Amino acid sequence: MVVTLGNDIERLLPMELGLYTHPITKNDFLRRFVEGQTMMYEQKGQEVLGKGPIILCLDQSGSMHKLDTQSKRFTLALISIGRKQGLRIMKLTQIR
């Protein structure tokens, strides 16, 4: 990874975030952050991330008895969304 200077909080080095949490170095960090002088990882273009499969685990144990209908409705909603988005759907079941 390449390190550069800037003020994108999502790409800051962990060391910089550590300086923010310490009372003695917090003000220095804030000054450098406002000036765009904090160290951060350089971003190289836009990375397009794919969507993986939906993996469903439906708990049908006795402790879920009162939520059985809700959990099945939620499962069906996820399956519907996954199909509309063209995702693979995997359901893990428990053999009784």
Side-chain angles (χ1 to χ4, degrees):
M1 295 227 106
V2 178
V3 175
T4 186
L5 297 177
N7 60 355
D8 186 350
I9 196 142
E10 293 178 355
R11 295 187 291 143
L12 286 177
L13 267 56
M15 178 195 75
E16 292 285 8
L17 295 172
L19 294 173
Y20 173 73
T21 62
H22 196 280
I24 294 174
T25 57
K26 184 174 185 173
N27 286 336
D28 180 56
F29 166 83
L30 291 172
R31 177 190 57 78
R32 291 184 307 106
F33 183 77
V34 169
E35 294 174 355
Q37 296 298 311
T38 46
M39 291 186 287
M40 61 184 204
Y41 295 112
E42 183 176 6
Q43 184 174 358
K44 294 182 180 180
Q46 291 280 7
E47 182 179 348
V48 179
L49 300 177
K51 293 182 180 180
I54 294 176
I55 301 173
L56 296 171
C57 301
L58 181 59
D59 184 354
Q60 294 180 305
S61 65
S63 64
M64 290 292 292
H65 177 70
K66 291 183 180 180
L67 299 173
D68 189 54
T69 303
Q70 284 178 306
S71 63
K72 287 179 181 174
R73 287 179 182 165
F74 182 74
T75 299
L76 290 173
L78 283 176
I79 290 171
S80 175
I81 291 168
R83 285 187 177 157
K84 286 178 184 175
Q85 294 183 2
L87 302 176
R88 289 185 15 220
I89 300 164
M90 301 166 59
K91 181 180 177 221
L92 303 179
T93 58
Q94 176 184 6
I95 299 172
R96 296 182 193 202

